[in-house]
Amino acid sequence: MQKFLKLTTKEISEGIVNKSFTCLEVVQYFIARIENSQRFNAVCLKNYDDALKRAKELDQFINTTVLEPKEVLTQYPLFGVPITVKECIDVENTPTTVGLTTLKNNIVKRDALVVKKLKKAGAIILGKTNVAQLLCYDESSNPLYGVTNNPFKPERSSGGSSGGEATAIALGLSTFGIGTDIGGSIRLPSSHCGVYGPISRKVENIIEALKVMVVTNDEEYESNNMSYESIRNPPVLLRDPYQVDISKLRIALITDNDIISPSKGIQRGLKEAANALKELGATVEEWKLPTSFEKDWINYASLMFSDGMENMNKVSKGSAMNPIASNLLSASSMPNWLLTCFSYVLKLFGQGTYLASSINTFKSLTVRQFWNNVDKRDEFRKLVLEALDEHKYDAILCPSSALPAPTHGLSTYVVPTMSYCQLFNYLGLPAGVCPITMIKKEEELDSERIKKAPRDWILQSFEKVEKDSNGLPVAVQIAARYWREDIVLAIMKALEKQFEEKEDYPPNVLQKLITDL
C-alpha cells in the first residue's frame, strides 16, 4: 500500500489540517513500513510511543482549534510530518552512542537544536537510524546495532556514516531524514541508496525542511548553550530555489578529479545529467580544477585527523569495535616516526598509488603544522574561487563518488572514491546529490584501472566493488558558491523533473524491487 508514500511533506501537512486523513493514520502507516523492513536494519532506535502520542495530540489540536488551515500551516509548516534522525543527533530520552557499546545507556535529556526546530514546526520523530561506528567510514555498521544493508543489493553497503538514514528514506520509512556530513557522510549514502541528499526522495521535501532549519531564534540558541550573537542575523537569508532560472546558469563540469577516475556507469550518468541541463538552456562546460586536488585531499584528511584521532581513541575505550573502526584507531595509535616508516615499506610492496600517502594522514600535528595546513587549504580555496570567477560559473556538476556502493567491509579500501564529496567539505561550499540512473551489466569493470598497478590493494578493491555492480544506483553531485544553496536545490529540482519518469530512475527501480512494505 502506498497511500502516503508518494505525498510530499506539504501534501501530508495539508491533508492532516484539512481533515482528509488523520495524523495518527500517517504515523501508523510509516511505523508499519519500518516494521516490515527489518531485514535492512535502517532504523536502530524506535520512537513509536512518543510518535503515536504526538500524532494523537496533533489530531486533537486540529479538531479543537479555531485557526484556519492556512494559519496552522503558517505556524507549523511540517504539521504531522513523520521523519527520522541519524543516531548521533540527540533526541530527548533516547541514547546517542555513535555505535559504541559503552554508550548504550547514554540517554540524552534534551533535543539537539535541529531536532527542536523540526519538532517546533510540527514534525514527528519516528526513530533514529544506524551509523558507522564513530561516524568515520563509508558503511553503517557497528557492534551495538549491527549492519545496515543497501536497499538495492543487501550484500552492498548503504554507505556511511548516515547510511541508516539513506536506506530508511529509499525504502519510504519516513518522509525525510536528518544526517551529518563532514566528508561525504550524507552525500555518499544518498548516492549509494538512490535518494537526494540532504536526504529525501523528493527535492521539494528538502526545501521545506531547510526553510525550517535555517530560521534563527534567539531563545532556541540560548537554551542550547550556544553563542547565538554571530548568527542572530545571517549574512544572507536562504534564497528561493524556485526563483532560479536554470537557463541562465553557467555550470562547470568536472568529469575526473585526477585522484580516481569514475567507473563507466558513473561517467554515463554524469553525461546524461549534463545533457539534461543543456536541454534546459544552461551552459555546461567541461572544466578542471586550477590545481591538482591530490595533495590537498591528503591535506584535508590530515586536518580531519590532526589530533592523531586521540579523541576517538579516548571515547572508544572499553567498547566493542567494528573491524574497520578498530583498524583506523590502530593506525592512528602509531607514533609519527613509525607511520613514516610504514609508508615507506608500503611503497616497496607496490602500495604507492594511494595507501602509502594516506597512511601519513593519521599523524598528530603540532600547532604550527596544523595552521600551515589551514593556510594550504585557504590558498586552494582562493585558487578555485578565482577560477570560478574567471569563467563566471554559478555551479559545479561532478560525480558524487567514483564507484557505486561498495561491498560490505571494503569501504576503507576504496576511500579515494570519497574525494569527490570531500572536495566540497574542503572548499566549504554547499553541495547535494541527485539519483540519475543505474549501472548496466556492460559497465561493471574497468580493466584498465588495475593494469596501472596490478599489486595495489586499493585498485584491487576497486575492481571487487565494480564486479557485479549492475543494478546499483548512479548519482551526480551539484555544488554552488557560498550561500547559494538555492542554486544547488534548483539544479537538483530540475534534474528530478528531467529523470523522475524514466524507467532506470533509481527510485522507480527500487519501487519494483521492494513490493512487501
Side-chain angles (χ1 to χ4, degrees):
M1 187 176 83
Q2 298 183 359
K3 183 177 181 180
F4 301 114
L5 184 62
K6 293 188 176 182
L7 298 183
T8 64
T9 56
K10 182 178 286 189
E11 288 168 338
I12 287 174
S13 291
E14 289 174 348
I16 294 170
V17 300
N18 287 306
K19 299 184 180 181
S20 299
F21 42 79
T22 67
C23 185
L24 184 62
E25 286 180 290
V26 175
V27 168
Q28 288 174 330
Y29 169 82
F30 283 102
I31 285 176
R33 291 187 71 86
I34 294 172
E35 287 300 293
N36 290 333
S37 69
Q38 298 301 308
R39 63 190 183 277
F40 296 99
N41 194 32
V43 178
C44 60
L45 285 167
K46 298 166 183 176
N47 196 43
Y48 296 168
D49 289 345
D50 285 348
L52 291 167
K53 179 183 176 183
R54 185 59 178 153
K56 292 174 185 177
E57 290 172 351
L58 293 183
D59 284 334
Q60 178 66 17
F61 173 82
I62 290 300
N63 289 330
T64 58
T65 186
V66 296
L67 296 175
E68 292 295 319
K70 188 176 181 179
E71 294 175 292
V72 174
L73 292 171
T74 299
Q75 192 170 344
Y76 306 104
L78 299 176
F79 194 92
V81 172
I83 68 171
T84 40
V85 176
K86 187 176 180 180
E87 197 272 353
C88 66
I89 298 172
D90 287 352
V91 174
E92 186 181 16
N93 296 324
T94 69
T96 297
T97 71
V98 296
L100 296 171
T101 56
T102 48
L103 295 180
K104 64 181 179 180
N105 296 318
N106 178 40
I107 310 299
V108 299
K109 299 302 181 184
R110 65 181 182 186
D111 293 323
L113 180 58
V114 66
V115 173
K116 184 177 288 188
K117 284 174 177 285
L118 292 166
K119 282 184 174 180
K120 187 176 180 180
I124 296 176
I125 312 295
L126 295 176
K128 298 177 77 173
T129 51
N130 204 17
V131 295
Q133 192 172 39
L134 294 171
L135 316 180
C136 64
Y137 47 91
D138 190 24
E139 296 187 35
S140 290
S141 58
N142 58 74
L144 189 57
Y145 299 121
V147 179
T148 298
N149 296 319
N150 188 287
F152 289 86
K153 289 193 173 186
E155 68 273 18
R156 296 278 176 155
S157 166
S158 62
S161 58
S162 309
E165 198 58 63
T167 292
I169 299 305
L171 294 171
L173 309 188
S174 74
T175 58
F176 70 86
I178 303 302
T180 59
D181 185 323
I182 58 169
S185 284
I186 286 176
R187 289 162 292 152
L188 286 163
S190 297
S191 301
H192 298 335
C193 296
V195 293
Y196 293 90
I199 312 176
S200 186
R201 293 184 306 282
K202 291 281 187 180
V203 178
E204 180 184 325
N205 295 348
I206 297 171
I207 295 171
E208 294 305 311
L210 193 57
K211 287 178 185 177
V212 169
M213 291 189 283
V214 300
V215 171
T216 57
N217 179 289
D218 293 351
E219 184 181 327
E220 288 175 354
Y221 287 99
E222 190 170 18
S223 66
N224 278 265
N225 294 329
M226 295 181 70
S227 174
Y228 59 87
E229 289 295 334
S230 62
I231 49 179
R232 179 184 295 180
N233 298 302
V236 179
L237 296 175
L238 179 66
R239 297 177 173 96
D240 185 356
Y242 297 107
Q243 297 301 313
V244 174
D245 186 345
I246 298 294
S247 69
K248 293 181 179 178
L249 297 180
R250 290 181 52 78
I251 301 172
L253 174 64
I254 299 177
T255 59
D256 195 314
N257 68 0
D258 296 326
I259 294 174
I260 172 176
S261 298
S263 67
K264 294 175 182 177
I266 290 171
Q267 290 178 31
R268 175 178 57 81
L270 185 64
K271 186 176 181 180
E272 289 181 9
N275 288 339
L277 292 171
K278 287 179 183 178
E279 289 174 7
L280 295 173
T283 299
V284 182
E285 298 175 345
E286 194 162 337
W287 181 73
K288 279 191 170 292
L289 292 168
T291 183
S292 172
F293 182 47
E294 186 170 3
K295 286 184 179 179
D296 276 275
W297 177 57
I298 296 297
N299 190 50
Y300 157 82
S302 182
L303 286 169
M304 284 278 290
F305 301 129
S306 56
D307 69 340
M309 297 181 75
E310 180 180 346
N311 188 58
M312 285 189 177
N313 274 288
K314 188 184 297 182
V315 299
S316 302
K317 192 173 182 180
S319 175
M321 297 303 295
N322 177 280
I324 299 173
S326 180
N327 289 340
L328 292 172
L329 293 178
S330 296
S332 70
S333 299
M334 295 181 186
N336 286 1
W337 67 267
L338 186 54
L339 285 169
T340 300
C341 294
F342 191 26
S343 176
Y344 179 74
V345 171
L346 286 169
K347 288 180 182 177
L348 292 178
F349 281 85
Q351 306 307 311
T353 310
Y354 299 106
L355 196 56
S357 57
S358 62
I359 199 73
N360 284 312
T361 62
F362 293 109
K363 290 181 178 179
S364 57
L365 303 180
T366 64
V367 172
R368 177 175 292 179
Q369 288 170 331
F370 176 84
W371 285 111
N372 282 341
N373 286 0
V374 170
D375 286 342
K376 291 176 185 176
R377 181 204 64 188
D378 291 347
E379 180 59 25
F380 181 81
R381 287 181 173 183
K382 179 173 177 287
L383 288 171
V384 172
L385 290 171
E386 286 176 346
L388 292 173
D389 286 342
E390 180 184 351
H391 296 281
K392 295 182 172 57
Y393 289 134
D394 303 290
I396 298 171
L397 175 67
C398 68
S400 51
S401 172
L403 297 174
T407 309
H408 289 300
L410 277 182
S411 64
T412 50
Y413 292 101
V414 293
V415 167
T417 69
M418 301 167 69
S419 59
Y420 284 93
C421 277
Q422 291 165 349
L423 168 64
F424 300 112
N425 295 97
Y426 194 62
L427 289 170
L429 297 178
V433 298
C434 296
I436 298 295
T437 184
M438 308 292 294
I439 299 287
K440 297 178 180 179
K441 182 70 177 176
E442 62 270 22
E443 295 170 334
E444 281 187 351
L445 288 175
D446 183 355
S447 57
E448 295 301 314
R449 201 196 298 275
I450 195 67
K451 288 179 182 178
K452 296 175 183 176
R455 291 194 298 160
D456 192 289
W457 300 333
I458 302 295
L459 291 179
Q460 289 172 4
S461 296
F462 292 168
E463 190 172 48
K464 290 177 183 177
V465 170
E466 289 181 320
K467 186 178 180 182
D468 297 325
S469 62
N470 66 298
L472 287 171
V474 170
V476 298
Q477 184 173 204
I478 301 99
R481 306 296 192 97
Y482 296 124
W483 309 107
R484 294 315 303 261
E485 288 84 357
D486 60 320
I487 289 179
V488 175
L489 292 165
I491 295 174
M492 290 170 64
K493 183 65 179 171
L495 289 173
E496 177 184 34
K497 189 173 182 180
Q498 291 291 97
F499 287 91
E500 65 182 347
E501 299 300 326
K502 293 181 181 291
E503 190 175 344
D504 63 350
Y505 176 62
N508 293 341
V509 173
L510 188 61
Q511 189 174 321
K512 293 178 181 178
L513 282 176
I514 309 296
T515 58
D516 60 343
L517 299 186

